[in-house]
Structures are given as structure tokens and as C-alpha cells.
Amino acid sequence: MKAYEIIEIIENFAPKELAIVGDNVGLQVGDNLDKEVNKLGIALDPSLNVIKKAKKEGVDFLFTHHPILKNPIKNFTGIMYEKLKILMENDIILYSAHTNLDICKDGLNDALAELYKLKDVENLYENGLGRVGIFEGSFEELLDITKKYIVESPVVVGNIDGDNFKLAVLSGYGLSQDAIRYVAEKADVYLSGDLTHHSKILAEELGLVVVDGTHYGTEVYGLRKFMDYLKDMVDCEVVSLDF
Amino acid sequence: MKAYEIIEIIENFAPKELAIVGDNVGLQVGDNLDKEVNKLGIALDPSLNVIKKAKKEGVDFLFTHHPILKNPIKNFTGIMYEKLKILMENDIILYSAHTNLDICKDGLNDALAELYKLKDVENLYENGLGRVGIFEGSFEELLDITKKYIVESPVVVGNIDGDNFKLAVLSGYGLSQDAIRYVAEKADVYLSGDLTHHSKILAEELGLVVVDGTHYGTEVYGLRKFMDYLKDMVDCEVVSLDF
Amino acid sequence: MKAYEIIEIIENFAPKELAIVGDNVGLQVGDNLDKEVNKLGIALDPSLNVIKKAKKEGVDFLFTHHPILKNPIKNFTGIMYEKLKILMENDIILYSAHTNLDICKDGLNDALAELYKLKDVENLYENGLGRVGIFEGSFEELLDITKKYIVESPVVVGNIDGDNFKLAVLSGYGLSQDAIRYVAEKADVYLSGDLTHHSKILAEELGLVVVDGTHYGTEVYGLRKFMDYLKDMVDCEVVSLDF
Amino acid sequence: MKAYEIIEIIENFAPKELAIVGDNVGLQVGDNLDKEVNKLGIALDPSLNVIKKAKKEGVDFLFTHHPILKNPIKNFTGIMYEKLKILMENDIILYSAHTNLDICKDGLNDALAELYKLKDVENLYENGLGRVGIFEGSFEELLDITKKYIVESPVVVGNIDGDNFKLAVLSGYGLSQDAIRYVAEKADVYLSGDLTHHSKILAEELGLVVVDGTHYGTEVYGLRKFMDYLKDMVDCEVVSLDF
Amino acid sequence: MKAYEIIEIIENFAPKELAIVGDNVGLQVGDNLDKEVNKLGIALDPSLNVIKKAKKEGVDFLFTHHPILKNPIKNFTGIMYEKLKILMENDIILYSAHTNLDICKDGLNDALAELYKLKDVENLYENGLGRVGIFEGSFEELLDITKKYIVESPVVVGNIDGDNFKLAVLSGYGLSQDAIRYVAEKADVYLSGDLTHHSKILAEELGLVVVDGTHYGTEVYGLRKFMDYLKDMVDCEVVSLDF
Amino acid sequence: MKAYEIIEIIENFAPKELAIVGDNVGLQVGDNLDKEVNKLGIALDPSLNVIKKAKKEGVDFLFTHHPILKNPIKNFTGIMYEKLKILMENDIILYSAHTNLDICKDGLNDALAELYKLKDVENLYENGLGRVGIFEGSFEELLDITKKYIVESPVVVGNIDGDNFKLAVLSGYGLSQDAIRYVAEKADVYLSGDLTHHSKILAEELGLVVVDGTHYGTEVYGLRKFMDYLKDMVDCEVVSLDF
Ligand SMILES: [Fe+2]
Ligand SMILES: [Fe+2]
Ligand SMILES: [Fe+2]
Ligand SMILES: [Fe+2]
Ligand SMILES: [Fe+2]
Ligand SMILES: [Fe+2]
């Protein structure tokens, strides 16, 4: 299958226009989109380890959720040199769908909404990130699902009694202090990743229950679903590289 | 003892001029520094819980490491209303020494340097934050100290063989991606707090071993030392409120 | 009457959405909007004197035109400490309607337009601030009205002969140099407040007649009308505190 | 006398380097500094009236305290066209010494310090603007001097008993809210110009006594002294144009 | 003919609203638009030479394509003094139509499109600048037209075989590196002015053929057409001053 | 010879600290500075052609005056992909000395000063760029030198009679309007590159004689000298690639 055909499939699923302003989505490293792809690798991060593994596995198209760079560069040395050299010498195309994959229908956020069987689901933010809806079970049941599908030992801040509370979910890093303040107005419980000290204190003060399913755990759950989708759609081998 | 006398003692230990630009240090809430202080409370955070406890314990001077606000406000409602009301109604002075206490001699960073018995210690940053020196034991021994004095189960990224490696320590939040890049040039192992996903990936790529002793753990260790110092110096009761 | 009911009445009259961008309108200091209000105080400024008087008079809801802060703060000492302490200890809610009250129908600008019986009235600015229309009398008559209702001895720049000239009015501070340049294109005479040296020189150069009715005088005129409105609408005692 | 010789005399008195950053001082309009000057005009403002009068009086070098423009322009129409045309057609050089004349030895601020016979005089600001020292008389005496030499009916905020208080003086506009806050820490009484509503309220709250001698009055007093100096120094006729 | 009538004719042809944001178009120097115009001068630049020539020729309305200033000023000395003095002393109105004349129907860009007989012409940029279409001849023929009507010896980067290629044209300066990158996606050959080193290298790398017809040549071609138009429309003598 | 040894030689000649703020100097693309260099290529630009030629010639260390990027990037496609791929696949190190080579002793600017045998040479700018001194011949002689050593047909603006005038030289692009204004105060004649329309007009107005020796010509002259220096110093073959 041609590289541009794979890109068409990805972009039909996660249109680039959905990405938030300033995000780095789409083709990251590559030139010849006409080349034949025999093996498609999928990973959360284009880390050096993932790129080395892609080479070792004979991957010729590497899809990652996170882009290769957030801040641009003008010198090519060290780790970036190593990464680019491996990709270029082995003709591995690197392509990312980041916030567009978080936001799109059946993307990473919808995957979480579905996992927790949320009712009356709405977008958490106007830009399409996150979901919020009614979780019909108890907090115990919520933690059981989290431990089974997201991360073995989630960090938990607070507690809530009874069933049928409002649950917000956001894949990846959603636990800045601004986010805590915002979500406290919208939900009773908030599942996301990368909890840090000041956000924890703030959640306690505001009475927002927080479940830190880790950045990795909250994104890889939906990424597996997306891999299954790609396996159905593309006409080549598909392998996962960091999950 | 008068409030201004306590402030003199604190500022002799942690001069305000040491604080980094833009930090909010010194008197946070208070008017009458002439008032008699009978009970001094100490905490990491001026959280709502800490402030309620201060009232309950009859504290009339509350010292915290973190300031009450990083970003300024112009309306007084919700949690901030509650905090200010309790402090004002109960005549509790709130005073913070933040990065000046991290930086100063025998402050939070020096406490970590001493705990790990670093040799040839230097400041990690030009502004005085952090310390770096030779740790003379093995990585196992480093983790033992960490588990005993900082946090029970530290998150660890990487590993290092042998003794006598360079260890950097920084109390609180020192694990941004920029910090990881900076410290990777200066040390083999880095102890600090609030590790998140992208920093972990970057540390792996750069071969920097990271020990996340938590924001809380890496700051409270030195804060206890500072409380001991205050107990010796001030002429009133001293109580800890969140550690 | 409940505090939130009073707020509803105010906001029906002066909707918050009318305020110009960055203005600080609405609830300034307060937490419990469910509390019973027995005495409503009204003032131009939430000055220390007004707040002390509010306490002395037993006011439990203080309405002011000017907000408590234009620029935000992160420490609470001195005058702000005093103000907040009095408000919080005495459970006085502070609420402001600023540019929304200038702009709204029957607000401070409409009050001036009505006082001078302007014909063919239009908004002076696109954002709704100020009014401009035909004043059907002479400049002498305009000054008589001003002296009787706005301020005893207005400062006057220039003069105009005859009747039926274009008069612009703007409550409060409308006499910046940019404003003088703008209004000189729209009107013959301009009534507003806070005239300073460079604006006076510019008005002379541009041939714009300026009447400085003072910031206080041009705002308090309409504020009295608004107090009358509130007296009719709310179910509690209403007192004025600085006019 | 040549124009450049007059400029040398002015700049020896008020060196351009003293001006605050961004101020527009020195040659404002002019080309040929070699031309013979027969009549030197002095004014506070390069207003249209002053420029017309300069032409009428046959002035060929116009010195003003305020510069012709604070904000730059790129089109030349209206009032600015008129001003430039008169200056250029009549070969009138326009030259300004603004904050350098406020700041310099025996400049506008020193003139005020001398008028009030301040003792232990220091600069009010680090950049050299304003003066502060001990006024040895009573507040009544201070007002008498003000009425006699600065302005007939000064606006006064507050009052102070007894003799020997700290008086700050600043020529021109010194009554912003930031200035009030700053001076309240340095002096008991503050004489400057262009008082507006919010500054008045703030001065009352902070207990700073303010005397508004007007922008014009506080600057023209020293400007007369400077005119006397020029009369002694230059070899041509000297006339005042707006004072 | 009155000055304002000439301005109406110009603005009907090149409406000011078409100009790009921040451009300085319209009346540059002038006050009395009621004055009778006997001689209209046209030039590319309001250079000192052009202005001197305008005076010498008895021009009383000077139209230029380039505005008198791009960056605003607040002192009037040197060359700008000379220019303004000549204009003002001789009552010469200066008026510019810059990017509005590039963009408008039958303006400078349309003139180029017509010269090269482009088919299927579209605007090159969304803001209306530039044109792009099919050139039906060979590259040799394109160069022949350029040499005959634009500039004797154009600088040429690259080459293209065959007929019927896409040609982009932009009057004036269109050869920044960003422009080269943009046009390389839209055309095979690009005619504009002011080619510099880095743009040349980039064009070579991207395979974009560039013809530098000079800033002057690419603008004066259409300016002559516009002069012809004015000659037909205005009721006074028309002379060209720098072409 | 090792790559790092070559870099030492370059940096001894043109220390990186000399470069102006924000310039991109030093290692551009490369990782292993320990590798053996057999062939050193030199060019003005790291253009695609130069990089292809470097590969073809078996160059393993490419020195260029211009850096590979001025503005940073975060995606690697198109021309940049091609350039990086060739460099990385062929282990070609790319290293640039830009403004540090312009500025340093015996660098590109000194080479021009020497060519024209300037007397009493000084730096043109405080940052070290450019040179200015007395040219002892006539303008004819200056043009002869230029035509012989810099560029065959320089573009010339203006003319100057007699001998012994002040000549400013600046390698590369030195002909912005700001530069013209600056140099007009310092010199009679200015040699630099990349002249464009508005700068030409301004030079005429200010009476500054400009000789455009082209960006390429004014830099390659000194670059040849630097190549000669490297040939003497390094222990490997040296080839020029675009001059
Ligand atoms: Fe993520
Ligand atoms: Fe901290
Ligand atoms: Fe107001
Ligand atoms: Fe002034
Ligand atoms: Fe142009
Ligand atoms: Fe260059």
C-alpha cells in the first residue's frame, strides 16, 4: 500500500483541521509519499527507543500520537540527529495525529467515554478536547474499570459516595491548575494524567475528585482501538512499538 | 514574641533578595506586624485545610513555603474568600519564604545535599536553585536514603552501576523538559519532584537517571529542618500543619 | 431579600455582557449569595471611608459603580487588607456595575442625555459608551444645567455661539487626548470629567468646547437615578454612602 | 547669535542625557542651525496658538518645555500641518527640553524645592524626577506660598497639623495612582499637577495630603526662572509666549 | 479642478479599503482639499528629487505610488524637513495610492497580467496582491516582452522548456524568501522585483524560475497606464516626474 | 584529521562568541566529532546543489558561511529532508561560521578593508560588523578594484570627485534602509550587497554613494582568503564548492 493511501485513511479518521492551534500534526519526517509501505508501526511517542525498534522491525511507516517536536529547532545534533538519521537512512516515514486524534469521533477521548459507558456525553472543552457525562456506577466501580483497563495503581485524590455522578475524562495531560479549576465547575470526578503537587492541592480545595490514570494509560487505551481500526483498513502488516 | 521579630528571624535565614524574579515571597496576608505571636504554624502549602487547621490550633502566625497566589486576582470569591476570611477574622498573619528558602544556606536544597552527603557541592543553576555534587555510594544506597527520608516508593527512570556518580538535587518541581535537558549535561542522576510523561521519555533518551521523590517529599525534608531551626530561635510555640 | 435576588435586579438593569473588555464587573467580594439582605448601600467608590461607613450603617450588601481593583494583586496588606477585613468580618457583599451601568439603557450616560434633553441621540462610541445629540439651547443654558445638576463650578474650555449645537456626554473619565481627537470629529461641545493639561491644549487646538463636570459629578447624577430605581425594586432599606 | 550657540547654552543647562527613556527632547523642527537668531520665544507648549504668536512676534527660535509630539505620525494633515507649515515658512526652529529640564540642576523641580525652602532635599525618583525634603512651616504657610506663586486656588486633598513635615514636589503631571502609592511612602504632603478622581480617592485612603498646583502652575514657575537665565546668557531678544 | 475632485477620481479607481493592513495610503501631506489644481504630477516615489522637480514644474498636486513614510516620526529634521518645507511652502498636496493601486481592477498587477496576456488569471494572494495565470508562449518570448516593456536586462534564475506554463506576477518587491516558498507552490515562473541572494538560492533549490524585472520596472509599467487614465479623467495638466 | 580538531582551528580563527545575538553559528548537522576527516569542502551556502556536490566529491566535513536555517522548523520534508538525508547518509558534518567570520580579525570584513587598502580603519558598527576608513584613491580606482576582485559589473548609486574619501565596507547584506541612514553619517561611499529599490532612493536623498558588489561577491572575496588559511592549517584535502 502506498504511503499517501495510509495517510488518507488516517486523515479520514482524524482530520488535521480538528487539531488545536499550534499543534504539530501530519507528516513529521518524510519526502516520498509514493513509496510502498509493507509494515506500519504504531507508538505513543517517537522516542529514540521506538525509532530504533521501528528500524529493527523493518517498519517503513511510523505512526505516533505525539509529534517529534513541539518547539522548533535549527541545529541537528545529539538525540535529534540520531532519530532523523535512523528515519532517513531507513526510509521510514514519520507521521503524527495528536490533538486531532484526541478530539475526533471514536478517537482517544471517545474511547474513554465509551470505556466508562458515559451517558449524555458532551465535549469537555469548546475545542473538542475531553468528554463529560454521567457515570452510572459507584466510585468503587470506576476505580475497578480504571485499574483493569488504564493503569494498575491510579493515584486518587478525594472520594465520592453513591452512584450517578458526573465524570470528565481527558486523554493525556489534563491536570494543570487551570484545567482543575475549569473541570471543577463541570464534573464531580475527573480522570486524566500527569497529576502534580499544586493541582492536587487545588483539587482538594475545590472538592474535585481526581483519578490520575497516567498520561500513558489514558492515551494508550484509545490508541489500541485506533490500531485495531488501522489493521482493518490498511493493506499491510501493523505492529505496536511502545504499548 | 512580636510578629516583626519572627519575620526578622526568617529573613535573616532566608533573605528575600535571594528569591527568583517574579516569585511572591514575604508577607502574604497581614497588617499589624506589631502584634504578639503565641503560636507559630508551619506548612508546605497555605491550602484551605491548612488554614482551617491553623485557626483550630489557635495559630496566629502561619509560615508556608508556597505563597498564597502565583497569579494575581481582582475578585474575592470562592476558596480565596474562605481563606482570606478565616485569616482575617482570626488575625492570622500569613508569611511565605519560597525560592529564597530553597536557595539560602541550610535551606531546602542544602538539606538535600547534606542528606545525600554530596561532595564538591555546587549550585545547579546560576540563580542558586538546586545542588550538584558527588554521591559516594551506589544507586541502591541512594534509593535506600530516598525511601527512608523522602518518600516510600519513589518513581525511578533508568539505573546506574557503580559508586561515585554525579547527583543533582532540586527541591519541589524540577522536572520540566528544559530542566531535564539542562541537568543531563551536569549530572548522572537527578532527584526532584513532579515527574510527567514527556520528561520521563526525554530522560530516557538522554540517559539521565531520574528519581522522583515527589514535590512534597523533596520539600518537606528540608522544611522539617527549618522548623527545628525556628523552634530554637523563636520565643513561642511552633506546630507543623501539613507534614 | 436574598443577595442573589438583588443581583438579579441589578443585572437585569445593567447586564454584565455590556461591560467593555477587561472591566471588572459583578461580584467583587463575597461568598454566600443566599444570605438575607436587610440594608443595601450605594456608593460611587468602594473607598476605605465608604466601607467603614457601610459597616457603621449596618449595610450588608454594598453596591458601587467603580470596582474594588483595576489591576490584580497577590498580597493582601495595607489598605486592601483593611477593606477586605471589614467586608469579610461583617459579611458585607461588595458588588459593582461599572461600564455596564454607564452603557445600559437608562444608565449613567442615558441619564446625562436626558438631563440635557438631547435630540437625535446616538451612542458616542461603538462599544456603547457616551451619547451624542442636538442640544437645543444656548451654551449659557447648558452651563446653567451643569451648575445646577452636575457641579457648582465646571471648568470650561472654549465657547460657542447660538443654539442647536452637537453635544457629546460621557460619564466619568472621558477626556484623554485620544478621546478629545475622536469627539472633535463628532460634536461641538463635550461634557465629561477629569480634564488634564494636554487634553485642554488639544481641545483648544481642535476647536472642541469642553465642559469638565468632574468625574464625580457626571457619574453621581445618574447614580442617584439608579438608586431611585433600586429603591422601587428591592425589598429592603437603601442608603447612599458617598453622594 | 547662531541657533547652534543657543542650543549649546540650553544643553549645558539641561543635558539631553538626563531625559527619561523614550522622551522626545532636543531639536523638534528645523534644519539650518547655522542661522542667525534675533528673537527667542519661550512657551510651555508648542500649541497652535503659541506657534501663531511666535510668527506674529517675529520669533525665529522657539523653545518649549513640552515636545511637539509624544506619539509619532506618518501623515501630515490638520493641526500638525498647520503647525509645521507656519514653522517652516517662517524659518522658526522648534527646540524642546522636557524631562531633562525637569530633572537638571536648577531646573523645574529644583525651582519648586527652592520656592518651598525644602531642607535635606533629595530626588523623589531614582531617575531624577521630583524632589522631597522638610518643609519647615505649617500647612497654612505652604498653601499661602502655593497661592502666591503657583496657582490662585489649588485643589487640596486632606490636611496636616503642625510644622516640619515631609513635602514632595514634582513639576507637571505627577498624580497617577502609581505615583500616589509611591509618594505616600516617602512624604506627608505632595505638590504636583493634574489630579483626577481615582488618585484623589487613593490619596485619601493612604492619608497622603495632596496639593494640586496644576500642571501649568507647577511648570511655569520654574520656566520663568529658566527664561531669566536665558535672558542673561543669550545675545538676542527673549519673549514669553504662553505664561 | 478641485483637489478633492481629483482624490475622488483616484479613489474610485483604487479604493482605500483595498490597501493591506498597516499600509499608509491616502492624503500624505496637505490641508486644503478645496484648492484649485492646475498641474498634477505623478511619480513612483516622493523622493527629494521628485519633490524638487514638482516645485520646479509648478505642480500643485503630487500623486505617488509609494507613501512618504512607512515608519512614523516625531521630529522633523534633515531630508524630511526639506521635503515637507518644499511641499508646504508651495502648497503642493501629496497623495499616495500604494497597495490599493497594486490590487485594484486595472491596477499595477492587472497591468502586468495583461502585458503577458495571462489566461485563467487569479489573484496570487488572498489579500489581492499579485496575479497568476497561464502564459501561452515560451520562456524566450516571456523574456522578450520583459526586456521590451519592463527592464532592459532582467536578472534571471533558472529556465523552463516549452510553452504554456504558469506565470506569477507581482509589482514591486515580491521576492522575500517567504514569497519564494509560497509562489513555488503556485507557479512555474515568477516575475517581480528586488531579488536578493538568499531568495535566489531558495528559488534554485525549489526549482522556481524567477525573473527580476526590478521593483521600478514592474511598477512603472502599470503606473504609465494609470497616468493615461488620469489624463483622460482630470481636468488639468498631468506630468510624470520620475519615469 | 579529526573533526573536532578542524573545529578548533576554525573557532580559533572565528570565535563563536563574536557572532551577533540570535545568529546560528557552529555545528549545524552532525554527531560524531571524533570521526576522521579526509576532505573538507567550503561554500558560501549550504544549498541543495552544494550538498549534492559535497557528496559527489567525497567531502566529509562541509564548512559554509551561511547557516542551514535562520528560522527553526519542526517538520522535516521537502528540500530540508533532502539536505539532511544526504548529509546524514554520507556522514557529512555541516559547520558554519557566519557573523563571527564576518567580524573576526582577518575575517570577511577585514579582507575587504585590506583589498581597498583602507587607512585608519575602524569597525563600522559597535558589534564589530563592517569597516570604515580612508580610501586614498579616486572613485574610478575604487570601481576598478571592485570590478577586478568583487563583481564584474557593480551597480553604482551616485558619484564622488577627488581622492581620499571615507569608504565603508560590509560583507554580504548591508543595504537595508536603516543601514543606509546609519552609514550616511559615517562615510562618503559604501560598498556592500543586495541593494533594493527603497535603499537606493534613500541613498540618493542622503547623498551616500553606494556600490553594490553583490552579497556573493563581497563575501566570496574573503572566503577565498579563509580557504587559503584552512589549506595551510588543516591536515586534509580542501575543496571549494560554490566559488
Ligand atoms: Fe499526550
Ligand atoms: Fe514547591
Ligand atoms: Fe468612573
Ligand atoms: Fe509637563
Ligand atoms: Fe513598490
Ligand atoms: Fe551573507
Side-chain angles (χ1 to χ4, degrees), chain D residues 22 24 27-31 68-70 72-78 80-82 84-85 87-89 91, chain E residues 22 24 27-31 68-70 72-78 80-82 84-85 88-89 91:
Chain D
N24 183 11
L27 185 60
Q28 305 285 306
V29 180
D31 203 28
I68 193 162
L69 283 174
K70 190 172 179 189
I73 58 174
K74 52 187 182 180
N75 299 77
F76 307 90
T77 64
M80 272 305 296
Y81 182 93
E82 271 193 80
L84 290 174
K85 183 170 180 149
L87 293 170
M88 287 173 172
E89 278 189 345
D91 281 324
Chain E
N24 184 11
L27 186 60
Q28 305 284 307
V29 181
D31 203 28
I68 193 162
L69 283 174
K70 189 171 178 189
I73 59 174
K74 53 186 179 181
N75 300 76
F76 306 90
T77 63
M80 273 305 296
Y81 182 93
E82 271 193 80
L84 291 174
K85 183 170 180 150
M88 287 172 172
E89 278 189 345
D91 280 324

Side-chain angles (χ1 to χ4, degrees), chain B residues 99-137:
Chain B
T99 52
N100 45 338
L101 186 61
D102 290 316
I103 287 170
C104 69
K105 188 168 170 318
D106 297 328
L108 305 196
N109 284 313
D110 274 354
L112 293 173
E114 198 187 356
L115 171 65
Y116 292 94
K117 302 199 173 70
L118 294 190
K119 298 296 167 221
D120 305 329
V121 182
E122 292 179 2
N123 290 344
L124 183 58
Y125 286 96
E126 279 193 16
N127 63 11
L129 285 171
R131 298 291 179 267
V132 62
I134 305 295
F135 178 73
E136 296 185 325

Side-chain angles (χ1 to χ4, degrees), chain B residues 22 24 27-31 68-70 72-78 80-82 84-85 87-89 91, chain C residues 22 24 27-31 68-70 72-78 80-82 84-85 88-89 91:
Chain B
N24 184 11
L27 186 60
Q28 305 285 306
V29 181
D31 203 27
I68 193 161
L69 283 174
K70 189 172 178 190
I73 59 173
K74 53 187 180 179
N75 300 76
F76 306 90
T77 62
M80 272 306 296
Y81 182 93
E82 270 193 80
L84 291 174
K85 182 167 180 153
L87 292 170
M88 288 172 171
E89 278 188 345
D91 280 324
Chain C
N24 184 11
L27 185 60
Q28 306 284 306
V29 180
D31 203 29
I68 192 162
L69 283 174
K70 189 172 178 190
I73 58 174
K74 52 187 181 180
N75 299 76
F76 306 90
T77 63
M80 272 306 296
Y81 182 93
E82 271 194 79
L84 291 174
K85 184 169 179 149
M88 289 172 171
E89 278 189 345
D91 280 324

Side-chain angles (χ1 to χ4, degrees), chain A residues 37-194:
Chain A
V37 173
N38 295 306
K39 200 166 183 179
L40 171 61
I42 302 189
L44 176 57
D45 289 284
S47 64
L48 187 54
N49 277 343
V50 160
I51 288 171
K52 281 178 177 169
K53 207 164 160 195
K55 173 190 169 184
K56 201 168 144 196
E57 298 262 352
V59 160
D60 36 24
F61 187 109
L62 173 56
F63 171 89
T64 61
H65 180 45
H66 291 139
I68 192 162
L69 283 173
K70 190 172 178 189
N71 299 315
I73 57 173
K74 52 186 180 180
N75 299 77
F76 306 89
T77 62
I79 299 297
M80 273 306 295
Y81 182 93
E82 272 192 79
K83 289 185 181 182
L84 291 174
K85 183 169 179 149
I86 297 171
L87 293 170
M88 288 174 172
E89 278 189 345
N90 296 281
D91 280 325
I92 303 169
I93 288 169
L94 177 63
Y95 183 98
S96 298
H98 187 212
T99 51
N100 46 337
L101 186 61
D102 290 316
I103 288 169
C104 68
K105 188 169 172 314
D106 297 327
L108 305 196
N109 284 314
D110 274 355
L112 293 173
E114 197 187 357
L115 171 65
Y116 292 95
K117 301 200 175 70
L118 296 189
K119 298 296 168 222
D120 305 330
V121 183
E122 292 180 4
N123 290 345
L124 182 59
Y125 286 96
E126 278 193 17
N127 63 11
L129 283 171
R131 298 292 179 267
V132 61
I134 304 295
F135 179 75
E136 296 185 324
S138 67
F139 190 54
E140 272 309 295
E141 287 165 329
L142 183 153
L143 290 182
D144 287 346
I145 295 170
T146 306
K147 286 170 188 170
K148 188 158 174 196
Y149 293 102
I150 303 294
V151 67
E152 228 172 290
S153 315
V155 171
V156 177
V157 179
N159 201 341
I160 184 168
D161 292 333
D163 291 5
N164 286 310
F165 47 80
K166 281 198 105 174
L167 173 64
V169 295
L170 193 145
S171 55
Y173 171 49
L175 297 174
S176 69
Q177 292 179 67
D178 282 347
I180 295 292
R181 250 178 239 109
Y182 180 82
V183 176
E185 304 281 313
K186 305 249 172 191
D188 305 302
V189 180
Y190 184 23
L191 172 92
S192 188
D194 278 341

